[in-house]
Amino acid sequence: MTGVTTLARMTAFARNQWYVAAYGREIGRELLGRTILNEPIAFYRAESDDTVIALADRCVHRRYPLTAGRLDGDTVVCGYHGFTYDTGGTCVFVPGQKRVPRTARVPSYPVVEQDSLVWVWIGDPALADPRSVPRAPWLADPRWTTVGGMEPIDADYGLLVDNLLDLSHETYLHSGYIGTAEVAETPITTEVDEGAGVVRVSRHMDDAECPPFYARSTGIDGRITRWQDIEYHAPCLYLLHSRIAPAGVLPRPDGSDPDAFHVEITYAITPSTDRHVYDFWAVSRDFAQDDEEVTTFLHDLNRTVVLQDVAALNLLQKALETEREGYQELSINIDTGGLAARRILARLAAEGERTAAVAATK
């Protein structure tokens, strides 16, 4: 498939969706601030039951950030004038008077903590269904060893979606780390479930060079069978099911390969602002689980790869902002998954806008 499409200047936000706000380990008894879809949010754990609380990070009085305040038990005390909020966002104390105004409250956000990730619902709270949060169970499974982190990128979040759905860039941007010639040379297959908002992109290499990422972690010496099977669950979760085995050993479709090494690579793509995205990443493996040297190697090398993407997307964003009006970008077969993701994101964004418009009339 070859053609041109109009270059998107900004990927519209899909509201009424779940987004990853943090790793569970990041949230404790200190206020953590994250901006998601241009909404500043304060996170903390309740002292009473350890659940994660998410409140708008702006005091109703003079808009002072609540994250600049403090916790008093399960309440948040604004650091400017002392307005105090309970876990639901209701103000329970104001200075200088006993009566608390009825309108003194800040929005609270539905939260789900699952698979070591903290998800927050951005949109109409009445529509938040915890059962719709996509899964990445290996992140919290003791049979897998996981390393991970988060890197901010100063770019449109749609650029990161494009990046992850077209892994042919590994050959060029990540050569010497995870990229080999075979990644770019091997055709892809793409499946799209528009209704579910899922894009699947697969690349199966049956005789490929083994890049350092896998050679040093698995100990394989020589050529390999390398399968990359992507699932993108719009708008936020990206899963790369990676299977590696010595050349000639074909992985089983169900993943029960006694002679293969399995790596689950997870990304959460969370828009912060129009030109800022949180890139949560994790690498999980089912081999050498207790080998600290392998753990450190995979963490450090994958973070290097992520930082290469950060640098490239920051540069690309700057280039797009200086591009002339009316420029038409070229797309080819490797872009099929990314283009499908753009369609799905546009649909989800439009649906969110319609829902908000209907709610505003009631």
Side-chain angles (χ1 to χ4, degrees), residues 72-248:
D72 181 7
D74 283 352
T75 63
V76 181
V77 181
C78 178
Y80 195 15
H81 294 100
F83 278 60
T84 302
Y85 302 89
D86 67 14
T87 57
T90 298
C91 185
V92 295
F93 171 83
V94 298
Q97 63 186 59
K98 292 183 178 180
R99 187 184 69 82
V100 177
R102 288 185 300 105
T103 57
R105 60 177 301 111
V106 297
S108 63
Y109 298 81
V111 170
V112 170
E113 187 168 7
Q114 177 177 279
D115 301 330
S116 83
L117 300 172
V118 174
W119 296 78
V120 61
W121 178 266
I122 304 296
D124 183 351
L127 301 177
D129 181 359
R131 296 170 300 179
S132 66
V133 177
R135 301 299 306 269
W138 43 83
L139 294 178
D141 190 328
R143 293 171 296 181
W144 295 79
T145 298
T146 298
V147 296
M150 188 276 282
E151 300 296 336
I153 306 176
D154 295 323
D156 183 319
Y157 84 99
L159 297 183
L160 181 56
V161 175
D162 282 349
N163 171 278
L164 294 173
L165 282 170
D166 173 19
L167 294 182
S168 66
H169 79 274
E170 289 183 352
T171 301
Y172 307 97
L173 188 60
H174 306 309
S175 177
Y177 296 93
I178 59 174
T180 67
E182 293 81 8
V183 180
E185 293 169 355
T186 303
I188 60 170
T189 60
T190 305
E191 299 178 9
V192 182
D193 187 335
E194 295 277 356
V198 178
V199 180
R200 295 180 174 85
V201 179
S202 295
R203 178 182 276 108
H204 293 174
M205 297 159 276
D206 295 334
D207 182 16
E209 178 186 350
C210 188
F213 185 84
Y214 292 117
R216 286 189 55 185
S217 60
T218 67
I220 294 179
D221 182 18
R223 310 237 350 136
I224 59 171
T225 297
R226 181 182 182 185
W227 283 14
Q228 296 175 323
D229 294 299
I230 296 168
E231 290 180 50
Y232 171 58
H233 297 259
C236 188
L237 191 65
Y238 170 99
L239 311 174
L240 170 58
H241 312 296
S242 181
R243 285 177 280 177
I244 304 94

Side-chain angles (χ1 to χ4, degrees), residues 289-308:
Q289 282 119 316
D290 299 322
D291 191 322
E292 288 299 323
E293 185 176 347
V294 172
T295 296
T296 299
F297 169 74
L298 288 178
H299 175 275
D300 293 349
L301 190 145
N302 200 74
R303 184 169 186 267
T304 297
V305 168
V306 170
L307 289 176
Q308 289 177 325

Side-chain angles (χ1 to χ4, degrees), residues 253-327:
D254 65 358
S256 61
D257 326 85
D259 299 315
F261 300 86
H262 301 86
V263 178
E264 296 288 349
I265 299 175
T266 306
Y267 282 89
I269 306 165
T270 300
S272 175
T273 67
D274 295 339
R275 290 291 183 265
H276 191 86
V277 57
Y278 298 123
D279 183 1
F280 294 90
W281 60 270
V283 177
S284 307
R285 69 184 190 275
D286 68 351
F287 58 92
Q289 282 119 316
D290 299 322
D291 191 322
E292 288 299 323
E293 185 176 347
V294 172
T295 296
T296 299
F297 169 74
L298 288 178
H299 175 275
D300 293 349
L301 190 145
N302 200 74
R303 184 169 186 267
T304 297
V305 168
V306 170
L307 289 176
Q308 289 177 325
D309 282 335
V310 170
L313 296 181
N314 286 349
L315 180 61
L316 178 57
Q317 181 64 55
K318 290 179 180 178
L320 295 179
E321 288 172 354
T322 60
E323 193 54 79
R324 69 183 186 274
E325 284 297 324
Y327 174 78

